[in-house]
Amino acid sequence: MTQVIPLVEYETCFLAPSDLREDDAWRINIQFGDKVTVEWPTPKTGNKWQLTSQGWVGYIPLGEDRGISLLPKVSLQNLFGMLEYAYDLGSFRFLEGLYNCESIHEFYERLAIILARRLLDRAREGLYKAYKEDHEELTYVRGCIDISALSRNPVRSKIPCSFEDHTIDVEDNQIIAWTLHTILRSGICTEWSIHILRKAERVMRNAVSLVPFCDYDCLGRVYNRLNADYDVLHKICRFFLENTGPSQNLGDRTMVPFLVDMARLFELFVARWMSQHLDPRYFLGVQESFTVGEKGKLKMLMDMVLYHRETKTPLCVLDTKYKAHSTVSNDDYYQVVAYADALNCENAVLIYPRQLEYPFDEKPGRIRVKTAVFDINDDLDHSGSSLLEDLLQAFQVQDGITLS
């Protein structure tokens, strides 16, 4: 029988000494210490294990019969809505059935099945092929003779050739193959989904190389009429590769965790939602970098910057802060002021997922800093509209942003 320890983000769970094996505690501490903190049983902890989630959601397998389920504070309905926006999955209209999932664990599994089925459908039509440059020594001439290699060793039984091979062993398919391999290693999927996932993996295994990829390999890819449907496949792959790791191991037995960084998800979600609801006269710069100094050793990375499209003038620097304190911390204040100053912008906003006990709106110098809320526990569209309305009133750009 599987033993699953539930942990809600930023809350502490106390366990009896017999409820957690010490080797599991060491594994959590060493491998996942930044996701879950562990305190050993001592008189200070009431002689109990003390586990505290650090703002991650998902599942950490500790063995085939035990694991830790990291639960969100936000409702699952809103969590799925955030994932829809953050990974651009909603535009493909296949998530309706997933909203009936009762856990992030089940959501992960059902989305994996969607990936497998879409791949199998594409395989029946024929996987995408592209020309790939190859070099090989052959008994006959194929393509062009590699003169450089031949000149280094002219006495040989085979001819070095350079040619292009029309093959399915290309990045578009390798990304999907690696994603399926990663999902199967996660230890999360149950028997009812393993069959179709293994069937999809076998389709790829015979002709596609197993090469490690990361989530950013799924971004900025170019599609044409022959591989247009790979766009959705790679967006699903990005979700799994960004939230399942580590990815550098090729072994079949290592169980890898499925973990969603809620702070990162909140940042992605807010940026995507705002981008889709801004008036065309304005645009949102996301993850913009700014170097300081001649050698550029100091680098600033800003979550979002709101620009006027025609003049390219920065109107406001926006920075998301997932963990809400009672009020703005000194570090958060200095950080966003530095961002605004670097862009010669007079407005900066710190966006939190819930209302602060002491909201902030001050302008001690040239730069005005205020707090705003995108309440992820409320209806997401309503919360987003409230955030935009707050910005309109604060910075008087009402003629430029719609609230729809």
Side-chain angles (χ1 to χ4, degrees):
M1 183 177 178
T2 302
Q3 177 194 10
V4 177
I5 301 170
L7 277 185
V8 178
E9 56 177 323
Y10 296 119
E11 293 186 5
T12 300
C13 173
F14 292 89
L15 302 173
S18 59
D19 289 340
L20 181 66
R21 292 165 40 168
E22 186 161 2
D23 59 333
D24 286 341
W26 279 113
R27 181 181 177 187
I28 297 168
N29 188 59
I30 294 171
Q31 296 185 20
F32 309 106
D34 59 332
K35 281 97 178 160
V36 178
T37 59
V38 182
E39 294 287 341
W40 265 248
T42 65
K44 181 181 176 182
T45 63
N47 293 314
K48 293 183 177 181
W49 293 103
Q50 183 174 304
L51 304 181
T52 306
S53 170
Q54 298 301 308
W56 294 72
V57 169
Y59 183 77
I60 298 176
L62 301 175
E64 294 185 1
D65 61 344
R66 59 198 187 280
I68 297 177
S69 180
L70 302 176
L71 307 174
K73 281 190 173 181
V74 64
S75 70
L76 287 174
Q77 181 83 4
N78 279 8
L79 177 64
F80 298 156
M82 293 170 68
L83 290 169
E84 237 183 277
Y85 270 99
Y87 293 93
D88 196 23
L89 299 176
S91 59
F92 301 104
R93 305 192 182 282
F94 57 70
L95 291 186
E96 290 183 8
L98 298 185
Y99 275 104
N100 297 323
C101 298
E102 296 181 356
S103 67
I104 187 67
H105 190 133
E106 185 181 353
F107 177 86
Y108 177 102
E109 188 168 18
R110 288 197 187 181
L111 192 57
I113 291 174
I114 289 173
L115 175 64
R117 285 176 175 164
R118 285 188 168 236
L119 173 68
L120 291 172
D121 288 343
R122 174 64 203 230
R124 280 189 283 270
E125 299 173 4
L127 293 173
Y128 176 65
K129 289 185 176 183
Y131 286 100
K132 183 178 179 181
E133 188 174 347
D134 202 355
H135 303 273
E136 195 173 342
E137 292 191 355
L138 305 171
T139 55
Y140 55 91
V141 175
R142 182 180 179 185
C144 302
I145 297 176
D146 189 339
I147 301 298
S148 177
L150 186 63
S151 63
R152 289 194 298 269
N153 183 15
V155 181
R156 58 174 73 210
S157 58
K158 294 184 178 180
I159 306 168
C161 299
S162 297
F163 55 90
E164 288 188 333
D165 191 17
H166 199 220
T167 176
I168 64 172
D169 192 17
V170 293
E171 273 198 8
D172 279 355
N173 292 316
Q174 291 169 355
I175 289 172
I176 301 170
W178 177 253
T179 303
L180 290 169
H181 173 76
T182 301
I183 293 170
L184 285 168
R185 289 169 56 230
S186 70
I188 294 175
C189 296
T190 56
E191 287 300 322
W192 73 278
S193 62
I194 286 290
H195 172 72
I196 190 169
L197 287 166
R198 285 180 176 161
K199 183 178 180 181
E201 188 200 29
R202 283 194 296 271
V203 168
M204 307 296 279
R205 186 191 307 164
N206 296 329
V208 178
S209 303
L210 192 59
V211 181
F213 285 93
C214 297
D215 56 285
Y216 52 78
D217 294 315
C218 302
L219 300 174
R221 304 195 66 81
V222 178
Y223 302 98
N224 54 52
R225 63 181 182 82
L226 299 177
N227 68 341
D229 56 335
Y230 274 68
D231 183 19
V232 60
L233 294 173
H234 289 154
K235 282 186 168 67
I236 300 174
C237 288
R238 179 197 166 199
F239 168 80
F240 286 112
L241 295 178
E242 186 165 22
N243 299 304
T244 310
S247 61
Q248 66 270 21
N249 240 329
L250 281 171
D252 290 326
R253 300 195 175 187
T254 304
M255 299 181 74
V256 295
F258 166 65
L259 295 166
V260 176
D261 183 351
M262 288 299 293
R264 173 64 175 154
L265 176 60
F266 181 61
E267 176 190 327
L268 288 172
F269 164 68
V270 172
R272 183 58 63 87
W273 193 97
M274 290 189 65
S275 294
Q276 292 188 18
H277 292 79
L278 284 175
D279 185 277
R281 288 173 290 178
Y282 294 81
F283 72 94
L284 201 65
V286 179
Q287 288 289 295
E288 294 193 353
S289 61
F290 189 92
T291 56
V292 179
E294 292 183 2
K295 295 184 179 179
K297 290 185 178 180
L298 181 60
K299 184 177 182 180
M300 296 181 179
L301 187 63
M302 293 166 272
D303 287 355
M304 294 169 283
V305 182
L306 181 64
Y307 289 95
H308 190 282
R309 188 177 296 277
E310 185 176 343
T311 64
K312 304 296 189 297
T313 304
L315 301 174
C316 178
V317 172
L318 305 166
D319 201 55
T320 57
K321 300 296 178 185
Y322 180 69
K323 189 176 181 181
H325 301 280
S326 59
T327 190
V328 174
S329 69
N330 287 348
D331 289 344
D332 292 346
Y333 176 83
Y334 295 141
Q335 181 187 43
V336 78
V337 166
Y339 291 166
D341 187 57
L343 290 177
N344 195 28
C345 179
E346 296 183 356
N347 299 306
V349 176
L350 293 164
I351 302 175
Y352 294 88
R354 60 191 65 87
Q355 189 64 257
L356 300 183
E357 186 177 352
Y358 303 103
F360 189 89
D361 188 353
E362 301 292 341
K363 188 179 181 181
R366 186 178 65 87
I367 298 169
R368 177 187 180 186
V369 178
K370 78 179 298 292
T371 56
V373 179
F374 199 126
D375 190 349
I376 57 176
N377 287 304
D378 196 359
D379 177 81
L380 296 178
D381 287 330
H382 177 267
S383 295
S385 295
S386 296
L387 170 64
L388 288 181
E389 187 173 9
D390 185 22
L391 296 180
L392 303 183
Q393 293 174 352
F395 304 123
Q396 299 178 349
V397 289
Q398 187 163 1
D399 61 331
I401 301 180
T402 61
L403 302 183
S404 60

